[in-house]
Amino acid sequence: MATTPGHGPRTGAEYEPTGSAYSPAGDPAQLLAALGRSWTWILASAVATLVPGILLLVWPEATLHVVAVLIGLYLLAAGAFRFVATFARQEQGHRLPSLLLAVLYVLAGVLCLRNPLQTITALSLIVGLVWLVSGILTLYTALAARDLPHRGFVLGMAVLGIVAGVVVLALPAESARALTRLLGLWLVLLGLAEAGLAFAWRAALRGSSTAVPHGSGGNA
């Protein structure tokens, strides 16, 4: 569950009108930061959440082994997106929560893939804790970050993550089929929320590019 960068859209040498970003310096950290600020990166993160969610919903008879593998791959992908999003934050104090979330997602993903035949309770506990902690840290970032664009979207995603974590932890599934439906539903909801955030960020980038023509400000 990625969030928008910590500052508003930019133009000129950093952003094209389509929302794609690049860094002329070629520094890896700057390249990752430019990628993390791109609306397409947020949309890719949403797709990485939606795909396993849809698979789980249309394949309710999937075995626990398959569910664990799908969730593990989702968590690893989410960790990668979170890691890149960390570089997009210019305020150093707000990079730590995003970095911790990236590590949490990766560790949880490894746990799911390392032992895909674990019990339903163990899988529910892993996913529920990840979503709960992710929602809490995202909520902190949304409230603490200054000039956070689309704060309402980020707050909504944080609350959705917290609710998802609480539901999975408080209502443990008694069968692989019930767990599959529950996880699939929440993944789809989280993915749709993140897709909405991506398109809102795209609109902000395009609006900023229209207000300040590309190449202005000494870049001619």
Side-chain angles (χ1 to χ4, degrees), residues 81-104:
F81 282 107
R82 281 284 187 176
F83 179 76
V84 173
T86 300
F87 290 88
R89 302 186 181 281
Q90 294 188 357
E91 298 180 24
Q92 297 293 333
H94 296 139
R95 287 186 176 182
L96 182 59
S98 185
L99 182 59
L100 290 176
L101 281 179
V103 174
L104 177 64

Side-chain angles (χ1 to χ4, degrees), residues 13 28 46 59 65 107 113 134 137 145 147 164 191:
W59 193 11
H65 176 87
L107 289 178
L113 294 176
S134 174
L137 290 180
D147 302 325

Side-chain angles (χ1 to χ4, degrees), residues 3-220:
T3 57
T4 53
H7 293 274
R10 297 182 177 188
T11 56
E14 294 182 349
Y15 285 96
E16 297 289 346
T18 57
S20 60
Y22 67 93
S23 171
D27 178 69
Q30 293 182 5
L31 291 173
L32 288 175
L35 180 62
R37 297 189 190 105
S38 172
W39 74 271
T40 54
W41 186 251
I42 303 175
L43 183 61
S45 176
V47 172
T49 303
L50 278 171
V51 170
I54 294 174
L55 287 176
L56 291 175
L57 285 180
V58 300
W59 193 11
E61 68 276 7
T63 64
L64 185 60
H65 176 87
V66 173
V67 174
V69 171
L70 286 175
I71 294 299
L73 292 176
Y74 150 70
L75 291 172
L76 288 179
F81 282 107
R82 281 284 187 176
F83 179 76
V84 173
T86 300
F87 290 88
R89 302 186 181 281
Q90 294 188 357
E91 298 180 24
Q92 297 293 333
H94 296 139
R95 287 186 176 182
L96 182 59
S98 185
L99 182 59
L100 290 176
L101 281 179
V103 174
L104 177 64
Y105 273 101
V106 171
L107 289 178
V110 171
L111 286 176
C112 290
L113 294 176
R114 184 174 181 271
N115 185 20
L117 295 179
Q118 58 198 308
T119 64
I120 296 174
T121 301
L123 187 59
S124 299
L125 181 63
I126 292 173
V127 178
L129 285 176
V130 168
W131 281 344
L132 181 60
V133 174
S134 174
I136 292 174
L137 290 180
T138 301
L139 181 62
Y140 164 78
T141 300
L143 295 176
R146 295 175 299 174
D147 302 325
L148 180 69
H150 310 297
R151 190 184 302 272
F153 267 106
V154 180
L155 285 173
M157 291 176 60
V159 172
L160 186 60
I162 292 173
V163 172
V166 170
V167 169
V168 173
L169 290 174
L171 300 174
E174 297 181 356
S175 66
R177 186 183 183 91
L179 177 63
T180 299
R181 291 187 180 278
L182 183 62
L183 296 182
L185 174 62
W186 282 115
L187 284 174
V188 168
L189 290 176
L190 290 170
L192 289 176
E194 198 164 5
L197 181 63
F199 287 115
W201 183 243
R202 176 193 182 191
L205 287 169
R206 287 188 171 182
S208 181
S209 298
T210 302
V212 182
H214 179 65
S216 64
N219 291 317

